[in-house]
Amino acid sequence: MDISTDIWGQLAVEASQVYLSDGTVRSPFADTTIEKLPDKVLLHIFSYLSHREICRLARICRRWRQIAYDTRLWKNVSLRPEVSGLHVGSLEMLLQLISVRFGPTLRYIELPIELITHTVLHELSAKCPNLTHMLLDFSTAMQLHDFSEMQAFPTKLRYMCICLSEVIFMEGFMRKIYNFINGLEVLHLIGTYEKCEEEEEEIYEVINVHKLKSATPNLRVINLYGINFIDDSHIDAFSSNCIQLECLAVNFCNKVTGSTLKTLIQRSKRLTCLLMNGTSLKSEFVMQAEWDKCALQELDITATDLSTECLVDMLTRIPSLKFLSAGQINGFNDSVLKQWVESGVTRSLISLDLDSSDNITDEGLLKFLQRQGHQLSACCLSGMPHITDQLWMSILPLLGNCKIIVMGTAEKLGVNIHVDQLMDTIASNCGNLERLELRWDPDNLRFSDKSQKAIDILRVKCLKLRCMVLSDGRYYETVKANFERADRITVVRTTTCCRVSPYHLLRNYNDLIFN
């Protein structure tokens, strides 16, 4: 028997109402307010808020203030105003916070240069015995505090991130902490790559890597990001002392040429992840490495100048590569893809990023994906004007297991992209999709009045979709409004502030996150 939705709605309304003796209607929850919620429920609600929002709520009433200052809400704290919005006005206030609000529950803390003093570090060492993660931001420093009297430092650190300055030498500070950091497993040294200017300036080695490696023999993950003085000798230094090394990232360290890769591969038997995006790798050095004897599974060589011969030699010799980012390389062409497949070593591949690989043809790419597409969890083919929606319509049915897809190019095309058909094809074939980015210029996107239906189908069928990135324009506004009506307000974003990357699939992704 069919019962209309209006009848079901009426039944639901009546079930939620209580009829009083005087004939008035009242909800059984009318007397329930947030004040009547138990403290543990409020504490759980507060745990979803940022610390800046929690501080605002502390002004509401005495009870909320007490809950807001519960140490369980302050396990992970950033005191960098540009990151968290929290600004500590004085060292005395910070020392009081460490003692009263943070205490033994503190696990992670970020400190800006003005709060990095020997008294603060002493207090953290004494009052926060469970502190395991620390970020020290020296990037804006023009002068260090005096650390001559520093006698203590947190001893249980497993993760440390140091944001370097271009001009401040760190040895005075580092000399004081070497004896306390031998338990480190994850180390980030963040340079000033994003701040550098076109003009060449004098480069200073502001931290002594050779001494640092001797103090940190247990490192598993090393991330040297955008440091203008890092070269192959520093890679050699770490590989000589860190026998546990699993992941080495030297992205945007443009002095790295690969001359010590052979030694690195020979020494680091556990190395499974090597990220060298934006380095100055030389083909002759790369070809000398014994890739056939390595345990490497994840490799990023994006924006390097490797030759076709070198790419073929390296890729066909790595026995179990799972993750490859090799975009923006002129030498990467159909011949590389063909010989790589024929070598039989692509059976483990789950992630492929060929951003801006203009020398790969549609035919070569389609042949490769017909053989390997079913096993891919990430496929990023952006920045190539010749790959339009027509080719994607042929590719998407081959990507049934994909979780991450990036398509399109920001440059204007001479053809239009029929995005409604594209959304239908994605929804029909990629039910496991979690992250999607369309980089096409808004002016190239063509959609109709039926777009809402195509978006509805995508939203309903791709329930795991947590991030969809589009260029700002009419289509972005349409998609964003659709998802917001379904109460999925954080899914749709713009390319202005967000980019999708296959890095989410890296085994050490959580350890590689900084800032």
Side-chain angles (χ1 to χ4, degrees), residues 7 24 40 65 96 131 161 182 199 201 392 399 482:
I7 295 176
T24 59
K40 64 180 181 180
R65 181 183 180 87
Q96 185 178 2
L131 181 62
C161 178
N182 54 20
E199 301 86 12
E201 298 179 357
W392 273 107
L399 304 177
N482 185 293

Side-chain angles (χ1 to χ4, degrees), residues 232 235 250 253-261 274-286 291 299-307 310-311 314 329:
D232 298 279
I235 295 177
V250 289
C253 295
N254 55 24
K255 285 196 171 184
V256 173
T257 63
S259 62
T260 58
L261 274 177
L274 185 57
L275 309 177
M276 301 182 289
N277 186 343
T279 55
S280 302
L281 292 179
K282 294 186 177 179
S283 298
E284 58 268 30
F285 294 146
V286 174
W291 298 107
L299 177 66
D300 187 351
I301 49 173
T302 301
T304 55
D305 197 23
L306 298 178
S307 66
C310 175
L311 290 168
M314 174 174 57
I329 302 178

Side-chain angles (χ1 to χ4, degrees), residues 43 51 54 65-77 96-108 127-128:
L43 184 69
H51 285 139
I54 289 173
R65 181 183 180 87
Q66 185 177 359
I67 295 171
Y69 291 169
D70 191 302
T71 57
R72 286 171 290 184
L73 294 175
W74 299 85
K75 291 181 181 179
N76 305 300
V77 179
Q96 185 178 2
L97 287 173
I98 293 171
S99 179
V100 177
R101 195 178 306 177
F102 301 161
T105 60
L106 186 67
R107 299 287 189 277
Y108 176 97
K127 299 295 176 60
C128 305

Side-chain angles (χ1 to χ4, degrees), residues 340-378:
W340 188 24
V341 170
E342 290 175 350
S343 69
V345 296
T346 56
R347 57 187 177 275
S348 302
L349 189 69
I350 63 168
S351 175
L352 181 66
D353 183 356
L354 297 177
D355 175 63
S356 302
S357 297
D358 294 328
N359 292 326
I360 298 177
T361 66
D362 296 8
E363 183 182 359
L365 196 57
L366 187 58
K367 284 182 178 179
F368 179 84
L369 292 175
Q370 283 172 342
R371 294 188 61 172
Q372 308 297 145
H374 66 281
Q375 65 193 48
L376 293 182
S377 294

Side-chain angles (χ1 to χ4, degrees), residues 29-43 45-46 57 59-65 67:
F29 306 108
D31 292 328
T32 304
T33 61
I34 196 166
E35 286 83 5
K36 294 191 176 182
L37 293 176
D39 287 356
K40 64 180 181 180
V41 175
L42 282 176
L43 184 69
I45 294 171
F46 281 24
L57 293 180
R59 303 173 185 174
I60 302 298
C61 62
R62 184 178 299 174
R63 182 188 174 211
W64 283 29
R65 181 183 180 87
I67 295 171

